[in-house]
Amino acid sequence: QVQLVESGGGLVQPGGSLRLSCAASGFTLDYYAIGWFRQAPGKEREGVSCISSSDGSTYYADSVKGRFTISRDNAKNTVYLQMNSLKPEDTAVYYCATAPTVIPVCLVRLLPMYEYDYWGQGTQVTVSS
């Protein structure tokens, strides 16, 4: 059974850090670009970051650039999102998703949502004092 499971969310104070994990089962992430998305209450889902499969190139939304770091461990079939200097506006449900491509697309852009095929169930991140 193909599955993506996010974990690592929680409540953190402004300025704090969290590391989200996205673990895949039933398939290998080796041939997929992975994206992180988030959706805040009353807002549309937005792309946060992505990482390519072939060369590990990365792309970040302007809102998180310099604060978030995406990485992947193909041996563990897991992708991570390290989030530092968190702000209240980072509060959202965070989702990971896979896009079946080995082209290093994340070198130049965030893939749009319609290019992703598998999605996780999401993990809540709340930044509040």
Side-chain angles (χ1 to χ4, degrees):
Q1 181 181 1
V2 172
Q3 198 172 14
L4 287 175
V5 178
E6 302 97 335
S7 61
L11 173 64
V12 63
Q13 293 186 341
S17 298
L18 285 173
R19 189 177 81 155
L20 305 184
S21 299
C22 171
S25 59
F27 70 112
T28 176
L29 292 176
D30 291 12
Y31 306 108
Y32 289 83
I34 310 300
W36 282 99
F37 295 80
R38 67 186 181 185
Q39 188 165 18
K43 295 189 176 181
E44 293 187 353
R45 191 170 298 188
E46 64 174 356
V48 174
S49 180
C50 70
I51 185 166
S52 303
S53 64
S54 55
D55 65 352
S57 54
T58 58
Y59 197 93
Y60 298 93
D62 287 343
S63 57
V64 306
K65 199 172 296 182
R67 300 188 298 121
F68 290 11
T69 302
I70 190 171
S71 61
R72 63 193 299 156
D73 186 338
N74 285 351
K76 294 183 178 180
N77 221 24
T78 300
V79 174
Y80 304 97
L81 186 68
Q82 177 67 44
M83 306 187 296
N84 298 329
S85 302
L86 283 162
K87 305 175 181 180
E89 51 264 42
D90 294 319
T91 295
V93 178
Y94 283 72
Y95 301 88
C96 64
T98 60
T101 177
V102 296
I103 299 173
V105 290
C106 299
L107 188 62
V108 293
R109 66 186 180 103
L110 283 170
L111 292 174
M113 282 190 288
Y114 64 81
E115 298 207 35
Y116 291 85
D117 51 5
Y118 298 125
W119 291 78
Q121 82 292 345
T123 185
Q124 176 70 47
V125 171
T126 303
V127 185
S128 174
S129 55

